[in-house]
């Protein structure tokens, strides 16, 4: 389980395709602190550390993960938002994040607001549309954010300078693909309501 508060930004230094899988080698300041079998969120995708090298580590993304996320589009030097799973005695500074990407979205607009940035994202409407609520939580590339100005296929988020500087939001451009994870609490409520209406 994660909280959507990014610890550091890593850099992809190598990727190897093997069948439908992709092995990613990532340089990170926290590489030496990791251990094999540990779960780490990569742009909001929970992946298992498979190997620790000197200044890098490796993870593997399976075909389903590559299809549902932007990990398959990463190239060498791509910057990746990283977060280790929350310790049992930790605080929820963000919101409950599973590291299970629901779908991808496209950045359609970036506005510099003299001290913060307004990003707009669009996505193909699905049955998950009702999970986005005004001033509710959404995870973008692993970052816990508050969404607003919601339509049937888009929404906006405001990014403060600290988040902009300490995540890969500073690298995002219009047309880029990001990973979305909707609020798990909303998913459970939606599921319960569907079950009740189906009876």
């Amino acid at each position: 389980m994660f909280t959507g508060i990014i610890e550091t930004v890593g850099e992809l230094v190598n990727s190897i395709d093997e069948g439908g899988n992709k092995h990613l080698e990532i340089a990170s300041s926290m590489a030496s602190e990791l251990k094999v079998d540990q779960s780490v969120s990569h742009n909001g995708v929970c992946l298992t550390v498979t190997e620790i090298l000197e200044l890098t580590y490796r993870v593997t993304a399976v075909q389903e993960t590559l299809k549902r996320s932007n990990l398959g589009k990463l190239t060498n030097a791509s910057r990746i938002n990283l977060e280790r799973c929350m310790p049992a005695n930790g605080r929820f500074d963000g919101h409950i994040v599973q590291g299970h990407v629901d779908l991808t979205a496209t950045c359609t607009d970036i506005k510099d607001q003299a001290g913060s940035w307004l990003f707009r994202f669009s996505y193909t409407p699905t049955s998950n549309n009702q999970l986005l609520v005004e001033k509710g939580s959404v995870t973008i590339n692993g970052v816990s954010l508050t969404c607003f100005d919601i339509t049937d296929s888009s929404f906006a988020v405001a990014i403060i300078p600290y988040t902009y500087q300490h995540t890969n939001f500073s690298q995002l451009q219009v047309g880029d693909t990001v990973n979305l994870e909707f609020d798990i609490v909303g998913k459970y409520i939606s599921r319960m309501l569907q079950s009740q209406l189906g009876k």
Side-chain angles (χ1 to χ4, degrees), residues 5 13-14 16 26 29 52 56 76 88 97 107 114 121 128 134 140 146 150 163 183 193:
I5 304 300
V13 296
N14 192 25
I16 301 171
I26 298 162
S29 59
I52 307 289
T56 65
N76 285 358
V97 177
C107 181
F121 299 94
N128 288 324
E134 199 73 15
I140 302 176
T146 301
I150 297 169
T163 302
D183 187 6
L193 289 174

Side-chain angles (χ1 to χ4, degrees), residues 118 129-130 162 164 168:
L118 188 68
N129 285 8
Q130 74 277 10
Y162 183 88
Y164 187 83
N168 59 16

